[in-house]
Amino acid sequence: MTASTLDTAPRTANTARGAVSNAETARHPINRATATGQAIWRAATEADYFGWLEHVRAAAGCTRPIRLSGVIDTLDPATGQHLHRLSTSELPDGHVYKACGNRRATICPSCAEVYRRDAYQLLRAGLVGGKGVPESVAQHHANFATLTAPSFGLVHTRHVARHTCTNRKRCDCRSAPCHARRPGSGPGLCAHGQPAVCFARHDPGDPRLGRPLCLDCYDHDHQVVWNLHTGELWRRTKQAIERHLAQLCRRRGIPPVHVVTPSGKLRAVPPVRVSHGKVAEFQARGAVHFHALLRLDGVNPHDLAAIVPPPPGITAADLEDAICHAARHVAFTTPSHPDRPGGWHACWGEQVDHRPITMRGASEVTDELAAGYLAKYATKSTEATGHRSTRLTADTIDDYADPDGDHINRLIDACWRLGRPTDTPTALGDRPRPDRPKAGLRSPWTCPQCGTHIRLAVCPECHPSCQDSLDAGIPKPGTGNPYAGLRRWAHMLGFGGHFLTKARRYSITFGLLRDTRITFRREQDQADEHAGTIRTADHVGEETTLIVGTLTFAGAGWHTTGDALLANTAADLARSRHAAGREEIAHEIGTALNAGTVPAAA
C-alpha cells in the first residue's frame, strides 16, 4: 500500500479541515474483509477489471474522491439535436469519480502534489516567463523576502549561528542554548514564578520548540489578533514599497507615466510597480509569516496590463531598501475591542530577510529554489503547530479551547473569546411586536405555558436557549464586529487568508493551468473517446459534438478500502514510471550536453 492510500476507509467523522463525510458509501458484499481481500474480490469478480481501473484513473491516487451521478448527453452544437444519452448507472460502480483537489498534504497527498506542482509553475513563470508570461521578465529585478511576526512572549527556539551540514532537513549542527541567562539579569524567574531561562540545546524535532516558557506571560490574545490582521498588514506593506520606489523615481528625475483612465481623464502614475507572489507559513508557535517573491515592473501607458521592464534608474538594491523601509515603518492599531479599548499594535517582527534572486543562475537563491520553496509551503497549514481540526462550532469548541490548557488550547480559546458578539442583540422577548404580519413571522399565538402573546415560532420566555444561541454562535458578517472572523477561523488560530496569493500581473492562474492540462489529456485520450470511453463530462470531444453532463454529488470516498488500494497502487506505479522516464531523459540530455551533442528526441 502506498502513502497515498492512508486513511481511505469509510468514516463518519471529519478529523481535518477539507475532509468530507463518507458515511453514505454503498454496501459491499465483503465489507468486513481486509483491504487485501476486498482488492482480490474486486479483481476476481469484476467483469472488466481493467475497464474499471481506466474508469477511476481520473481520481486514482486521491484519498477521498468525489462521486458524481447523473446523465451525460451528447448534442449537435449546430442544430441542438440530441444524439446520445449515457447514464452513470451504466458505468462501473454507477458513478463518475473526480479527484477532491484538496491542497493540504495531510488530507490528500496526491491532490496536494498536483497543487504543489501547479504552484511551482505559477510562481516560477513570474520569474523566468513562459506559459503566457513574456520571457523578458527574467531581466527584471526580483527579491525573495521573508516577513515574520513580532514577539508575543519568550518561546523555546533553536538557533544555529553557522550551519556546517549539507542538508537542512537532516541538520545535526550544534545549536546555541535556547535562552541562556545573561550576567546581572536577575534570578531568571518570571512574574509568575516560572523559569525565564532555558539552557537546553534543542534538536530539530524537539516538541518544546515554539512553546512559551511561561504560558501566563505569553500574550495569546495579541497573537490571534495579529494573525487575523496579517492581510491588512501585507496590503499596507506592499503600498509602502511602491510609494518608496515612487519617491526614488521623483528624486532621480525619472518622469511619471501618463495614462488615460476609463473615464477619459489623463492621470500621472509612477513609472515603476511591484508584482508579487506570496505564501503564508505557520511557525511552530502558531504565528504566521510570509515568504514573498517581489518583482520590479514598468508601466506601459498604452496597455496597463502589459508586463514591461522597469526604468533603468531603479536597481535591485533600491528594491531591497524599499522592503527594509516598509518592514520597519509599516504599523497600525487594530479597532477597539471591549477587552482592549485601545486595540492591539500590528507590525512586523525584527527578523526580516531579503535576498536578490538570480534567474537560472548558481547563486544562493535562484528562481527554481525560490519557487520550489514557496510551492512546498503552499500545501501546508497548521500541521507545524500540532493542531488539526475542522471548522469549530459551539458544540465542538470545548474539545479544543481551554483557558488553562496548553499553548494551542489557549490560542483557540482566545479566538473564541475575542470573536464573541460585541453588539449584544436585543433579547427575543424584548423585541417590538409588529402591528401587522410580515414575511417570516407566524400569526399571533399565545404560549400555553406562560401565556405570552407572540408572533415568533418559539416562545423566548420558555426557551432561553434561543437567546443563548445568539451569544454562543459565530457572529454574522456585517454585524459591526471587526473581530467576528476570529470565531470563524478559530481552527486556523485566527488566520483567515489564502495561503498562496499573487498580484494580477505577476503570473498566470491556477485555472489556466488546469484548463491546459485538461486539453492536453483530452487530446491524448481522443482515440479512446471515439471508442466510447468518456473522460470528461463537460468538454468538447469533437468540433461537431458537444458533451454536456448533468451530474450531482453522490458521495465522497472510495466504496471500500480495497478499491482505494487498487486505484492508488495503480496510480503510484504510473507515477513511478513517469518519474523514471523523466530521470532517464534528464540523464540522456545531460550526457549529450557534456559530449557536445543533443539527441533529436530531446
Side-chain angles (χ1 to χ4, degrees):
M1 181 178 290
T2 64
S4 59
T5 61
L6 297 177
D7 195 19
T8 55
R11 60 186 181 185
T12 58
N14 301 333
T15 58
R17 183 187 174 207
V20 287
S21 177
N22 193 30
E24 66 281 4
T25 52
R27 291 183 176 272
H28 198 279
I30 55 170
N31 53 5
R32 295 185 179 180
T34 62
T36 304
Q38 294 172 353
I40 295 175
W41 185 92
R42 165 72 75 174
T45 60
E46 186 72 38
D48 187 8
Y49 170 66
F50 294 101
W52 177 82
L53 282 179
E54 191 69 14
H55 176 66
V56 302
R57 184 166 67 94
C62 179
T63 302
R64 303 183 63 76
I66 306 301
R67 303 194 303 272
L68 304 174
S69 62
V71 295
I72 302 173
D73 296 322
T74 304
L75 307 176
D76 187 342
T79 62
Q81 180 182 1
H82 187 275
L83 302 178
H84 181 261
R85 166 167 287 192
L86 175 66
S87 174
T88 56
S89 59
E90 306 173 19
L91 301 175
D93 293 344
H95 299 99
V96 172
Y97 288 92
K98 182 183 182 301
C100 67
N102 198 293
R103 69 161 188 88
R104 292 178 62 174
T106 55
I107 303 298
C108 183
S110 178
C111 293
E113 179 64 16
V114 175
Y115 185 91
R116 185 193 66 80
R117 294 183 178 183
D118 285 352
Y120 173 80
Q121 297 295 337
L122 183 148
L123 294 168
R124 189 169 183 268
L127 296 177
V128 299
K131 301 186 182 301
V133 180
E135 296 184 357
S136 59
V137 297
Q139 307 301 325
H140 296 201
H141 302 300
N143 196 285
F144 179 39
T146 300
L147 303 174
T148 61
S151 175
F152 306 104
L154 294 178
V155 297
H156 292 279
T157 60
R158 182 178 187 271
H159 175 68
V160 179
R162 183 177 180 181
H163 285 274
T164 58
C165 59
T166 57
N167 189 351
R168 294 292 179 88
K169 294 182 179 180
R170 300 178 180 178
C171 177
D172 56 355
C173 300
R174 189 169 185 265
S175 63
C178 177
H179 287 285
R181 183 175 57 189
R182 297 180 178 85
S185 59
L189 298 178
C190 69
H192 302 92
Q194 298 295 327
V197 296
C198 177
F199 297 96
R201 301 178 187 268
H202 298 292
D203 296 328
D206 195 329
R208 291 179 294 174
L209 290 176
R211 298 300 184 260
L213 273 67
C214 177
L215 289 171
D216 295 327
C217 291
Y218 198 85
D219 195 348
H220 297 87
D221 293 359
H222 194 177
Q223 176 170 319
V224 298
V225 170
W226 191 90
N227 284 345
L228 180 67
H229 290 87
T230 50
E232 175 64 17
L233 187 61
W234 167 257
R235 186 186 69 85
R236 298 190 181 205
T237 303
K238 177 77 177 297
Q239 288 182 347
I241 293 174
E242 293 185 334
R243 289 171 180 170
H244 183 83
L245 294 174
Q247 292 177 359
L248 289 179
C249 291
R250 288 195 294 268
R251 296 173 187 171
R252 297 174 182 178
I254 303 176
V257 177
H258 294 83
V259 299
V260 180
T261 61
S263 60
K265 297 181 179 179
L266 194 63
R267 178 187 176 189
V269 298
V272 63
R273 61 190 177 193
V274 177
S275 299
H276 76 276
K278 172 177 65 68
V279 168
E281 179 193 358
F282 266 101
Q283 295 175 315
R285 57 172 172 160
V288 176
H289 66 260
F290 291 150
H291 303 288
L293 300 177
L294 301 169
R295 187 189 69 204
L296 278 177
D297 294 337
V299 179
N300 187 346
H302 306 291
D303 185 6
L304 294 179
I307 301 177
V308 297
I314 300 298
T315 63
D318 296 331
L319 179 59
E320 294 183 20
D321 294 340
I323 295 173
C324 293
H325 178 270
R328 288 194 307 264
H329 294 87
V330 171
F332 66 96
T333 302
T334 62
S336 175
H337 190 276
D339 293 355
R340 185 132 177 182
W344 287 269
H345 186 69
C347 64
W348 297 113
E350 297 180 357
Q351 297 180 355
V352 178
D353 188 21
H354 50 85
R355 303 180 184 182
I357 299 176
T358 302
M359 307 304 172
R360 300 173 180 173
S363 64
E364 184 179 2
V365 180
T366 63
D367 59 305
E368 294 182 353
L369 178 63
Y373 188 80
L374 268 66
K376 176 183 67 174
Y377 286 109
T379 61
K380 299 182 182 298
S381 185
T382 57
E383 295 82 7
T385 66
H387 171 73
R388 303 175 186 176
S389 72
T390 57
R391 181 160 289 166
L392 302 178
T393 63
D395 297 328
T396 60
I397 186 62
D398 292 337
D399 298 335
Y400 299 94
D402 185 1
D404 300 322
D406 60 11
H407 180 54
I408 302 301
N409 294 148
R410 297 194 183 200
L411 289 175
I412 298 176
D413 176 76
C415 290
W416 200 261
R417 175 169 42 81
L418 297 177
R420 68 185 183 276
T422 57
D423 52 351
T424 312
T426 306
L428 297 176
D430 298 337
R431 294 183 180 181
R433 301 289 184 264
D435 297 332
R436 57 183 183 274
K438 293 183 179 180
L441 296 177
R442 295 186 175 185
S443 301
W445 62 286
T446 301
C447 179
Q449 299 180 7
C450 62
T452 304
H453 191 68
I454 54 176
R455 291 178 180 269
L456 300 175
V458 180
C459 177
E461 302 296 335
C462 300
H463 298 275
S465 59
C466 298
Q467 179 64 36
D468 296 339
S469 63
L470 295 175
D471 299 330
I474 298 177
K476 296 182 180 179
T479 57
N481 180 14
Y483 297 93
L486 284 175
R487 284 198 171 185
R488 178 178 176 84
W489 302 106
H491 63 291
M492 301 298 293
L493 309 182
F495 178 71
H498 292 282
F499 276 82
L500 192 154
T501 60
K502 70 175 187 66
R504 182 180 303 175
R505 302 178 184 88
Y506 174 78
S507 181
I508 55 178
T509 62
F510 280 104
L512 180 59
L513 289 175
R514 297 188 187 103
D515 292 342
T516 304
R517 182 164 53 247
I518 290 173
T519 303
F520 176 78
R521 289 177 177 175
R522 189 190 315 137
E523 293 175 354
Q524 280 192 329
D525 299 336
Q526 190 172 11
D528 293 336
E529 290 180 1
H530 286 306
T533 302
I534 294 180
R535 305 287 186 190
T536 56
D538 55 351
H539 296 286
V540 180
E542 298 178 352
E543 295 182 357
T544 59
T545 304
L546 179 64
I547 300 177
V548 179
T550 306
L551 304 174
T552 58
F553 176 80
W558 299 99
H559 284 292
T560 64
T561 309
D563 288 354
L565 175 63
L566 291 172
N568 292 181
T569 301
D572 182 70
L573 292 175
R575 288 193 294 267
S576 300
R577 290 193 298 269
H578 293 165
R582 287 194 296 267
E583 292 178 1
E584 186 65 24
I585 292 175
H587 175 71
E588 292 180 359
I589 294 177
T591 303
L593 290 177
N594 293 333
T597 60
V598 179

